[in-house]
Amino acid sequence: MNAPEPERDDLYVDHVYDMIVVSNRLPVDYEEGPGGETRWKGSPGGLVTALEPVMRAADGAWIGWTGVADREFDPFEHDGISIIPVPLSAQELEEYYEGFSNDTLWPLYHDVIAPPRFHREWWEAYVRVNRRFAEAAARAASDGAVVWVQDYQLQLVPRMLREARPDLVIGFFNHIPFPAYGIYSQLPWRRQVIDGLLGADVIGFQRAADAGNFSRAVRRLFGYSTRGTIIDVPDSDGETRRVVARHFPISIDAAGFEELARRPEVQERAREIRESLGNPETIMLGVDRLDYTKGIRHRVKAFGELLRDGRLSVEDVTLVQVASPSRERVETYRQLRDEIELQVGRLNGDYSTLGHQAIAYLHHGYPREEMVALYLAADVMLVTALRDGMNLVAKEYVACRFDDDGVLLLSEFTGASDELRQAVLVNPHDIEGLKDAIVEAVRMPRRERARRMRALRRRVLENDVAKWSATFLETLTGTGIIAPGVSDPLQTAIARLASSERLLVALDFDGTLAPLVDRPEDARASQRARAAIERLAASDDTRVAIVSGRALDSLGQVASPPAGTLLSGSHGVELQLEPGAATIDLRDSELVKLERLSEIVEEVASGTDGAWIERKPAGLALHTRRLPSKTGTALQHSARDRVAAELLGITVRTGKAVLEFAVRSSDKGESLTRLRQHVGATAVIYVGDDVTDEDAFAALDDDDVGVKVGQGKSIATHRVRSTDDVAELLERLADARDAAREAASRWP
Ligand code: GDG
């Protein structure tokens, strides 16, 4: 993509995170009091509620804009979540946000209900700002971290991020519809946007139809093959990357809404609302951001005609319309407000009486409690959007109606209508049909209302927003978010291993037994892990092996393992099966190659502060852990290229911020197989955190147990979160092994 370089390079963060959410707006608002005092206030939207537990459990950070233009803020913590602000200038706000996002993409993606405007400067700002968000994420993400990008304002971020950080697991979720190709193809930058999205591993949409539209656009514009939800994307190195594009319908914190609705003071407020409207027989309610996609005009028109025709009367029915202020600096929205207010004013003028108002029109935002009281007060909820990604208001109404009463009238053009089939479904463009549906809703007998509401409630309560995020993240990482400690399935596997005749416990060192540190010589296993290893190694039926990429020398120094521990160094090139008996004799040709290899890599790394080279008996490792990730990746690329250009038969492997070269090939999988044979093991457990540990997982048998430490792609069947959890796992294994031995000894 031909994108200009970012203007700023000072979005510095000094901490990295395993899980990152990137969205245009942060989940906090900046507030300035009358005395000039300032504070951050949480804005408790559905997304925050859904992701809060995930973020807390996974050491997560949220990247986004603060809502204040032309101001820079340092990263900070709010309510246990790390917040990393990305600045926007007033001009960028105008061009990237109000312009390209809300005046180009929004109308285009909502089936051109309003005409989209295409401006090249807006696009340029969009690219620039997307790059800034991507760079902030690239800096803040740990090795192999999960980054989840939200919504149409940031569609270029996945590709930009993948280019800077190929190690990351990248997800994207589109909260709004994705249009049919005939409409999408109007976008002058249609290829760039799709290419941007295809940088993700998983692209989520609200409806299956949106995912289908996207896959069709990919086929039409790029000719990539798609099978069901899988898209095969060719990468620059000629390999194919699998991208998943499918629907994950978003939801709400249903239990939270119900809990609010059950509060006595909220119910009291609902009664007050009814009273203040003159206790009409039927209250109809609309709650929308004041947006042309929401079909507010169609709704008001239908209601006006019903009053005109005498099918409804203001004595019996009142419509409450909350239209919360939105995007008021965009011209189309200003016009829309004028039109709706003229329409509402006319209608009230024509039909209201001194005692009964036809429409109570409220151009305000309200606290959530008040919204819930309104939902409780409403007999009929009108959701008449012309196009809507999901529409959460419909789900909120349902969640609040624990009394199994109330009728939801729902447009077929909302994502919600795919799930909420027991609503009264309408086509809002068909004004006659809409009028009939409104009358049907107003007259619906109590039993019918209850029957429908019960079915709707089951659906919403079972599919809440926590389930939405869990399903997405599971698809993305293959695991979801890892809970701390030892999971139940892992505990079951431990119990099974405990009774095996001869057990091999094979453990990676750095990142598994010892937390990763800047200087490799400082790495140490925790006291707990060491004690557990000693207990395991104390009996004859169990052997412990440490399998590392480090050279044996260095491994022996930092691990100081108990006597009898088997050691495998340099990814299996060195193996120590007896104390002091490790050897590796390089052939002359290998020695020559090794020398040249050192010269080349030294030359490449010499100009870069913070890069260092670790020598190994049959190769070397170029460490880039102390460099910014982008510089590190670039340095690794040039080292790889230089070596490939000059030497043949060199094995290269990428680890966490390290690139390893070896003149003799071996991997942890081969090493594990030799260890198993040596020990005569009947069962093996292997624990590791790095990509190089994947070879060992691949060498396991069906009855063995593989445990991956941390996030990132893995073929291991189990996961733990951190080195602390590895220590706990080893303790439990030692306990289980002791218990099994004791139980066996009681039998003659
Ligand atoms: C986009 C997509 C998709 C509204 N006024 C007030 C208020 N709200 C709350 C509602 C609801 C939310 O705002 C609006 O959500 P919607 O889903 O209805 O619509 P969008 O804002 O257009 O959201 C949409 C959604 O993203 C999620 O993916 O469903 O299709 O367009 O939660 O309750 N809340 C409070 N006061 C108000 O005055 N407290």
Side-chain angles (χ1 to χ4, degrees), residues 109-179:
Y109 281 27
H110 287 88
D111 287 356
V112 298
I113 297 169
R117 298 206 291 154
F118 303 118
H119 290 299
R120 281 163 285 187
E121 320 79 76
W122 290 0
W123 163 250
E124 278 153 24
Y126 186 78
V127 175
R128 208 165 52 239
V129 171
N130 270 250
R131 187 168 296 283
R132 187 173 309 146
F133 276 80
E135 293 200 332
R139 282 201 184 92
S142 65
D143 276 307
V146 174
V147 181
W148 190 1
V149 183
Q150 307 288 330
D151 229 359
Y152 62 102
Q153 302 93 349
L154 301 174
Q155 292 174 102
L156 307 180
V157 170
R159 167 70 62 201
M160 291 168 167
L161 199 49
R162 178 163 300 280
E163 268 162 18
R165 293 287 307 273
D167 59 302
L168 300 178
V169 179
I170 305 170
F172 179 90
F173 186 77
N174 196 48
H175 290 255
I176 67 174
F178 195 89

Side-chain angles (χ1 to χ4, degrees), residues 285-288 296 299 319-323 359-363:
L285 174 67
V287 171
D288 313 81
I296 303 172
R299 188 182 310 169
L319 170 60
V320 177
Q321 177 63 54
V322 176
I359 303 188
Y361 169 81
L362 307 155
H363 185 249

Side-chain angles (χ1 to χ4, degrees), residues 621-655:
L622 169 63
H623 290 274
T624 57
R625 209 180 292 165
R626 288 185 209 140
L627 305 178
S629 66
K630 212 171 154 186
T631 324
T633 314
L635 188 67
Q636 290 194 11
H637 274 311
S638 43
R640 187 190 275 268
D641 291 348
R642 279 285 309 278
V643 170
E646 231 185 278
L647 293 173
L648 286 176
I650 302 284
T651 309
V652 188
R653 57 168 75 81
T654 318

Side-chain angles (χ1 to χ4, degrees), residues 18 26 44 70 85 94 128 131 166 347 357 360 449 478 576 634 688:
D18 292 342
L26 285 165
D70 287 329
E94 212 178 301
R128 208 165 52 239
R131 187 168 296 283
L347 193 144
Q357 201 181 2
R449 301 201 296 261
Q576 180 176 307

Side-chain angles (χ1 to χ4, degrees), residues 597-613:
L597 177 70
S598 309
E599 285 168 13
I600 299 174
V601 180
E602 255 165 29
E603 233 175 85
V604 174
S606 63
T608 311
D609 270 357
W612 86 94
I613 293 169

Side-chain angles (χ1 to χ4, degrees), residues 106 110 173 175-176 206 250 287-289 294 322 324 364-368 371 375 388-393 396:
W106 179 270
H110 287 88
F173 186 77
H175 290 255
I176 67 174
Q206 301 278 27
I250 201 171
V287 171
D288 313 81
R289 273 187 311 98
K294 303 291 182 183
V322 176
S324 36
H364 304 292
Y366 289 99
R368 178 164 304 172
M371 304 294 283
Y375 290 144
D388 211 336
M390 177 52 60
N391 195 289
L392 297 180
V393 166
E396 289 166 3

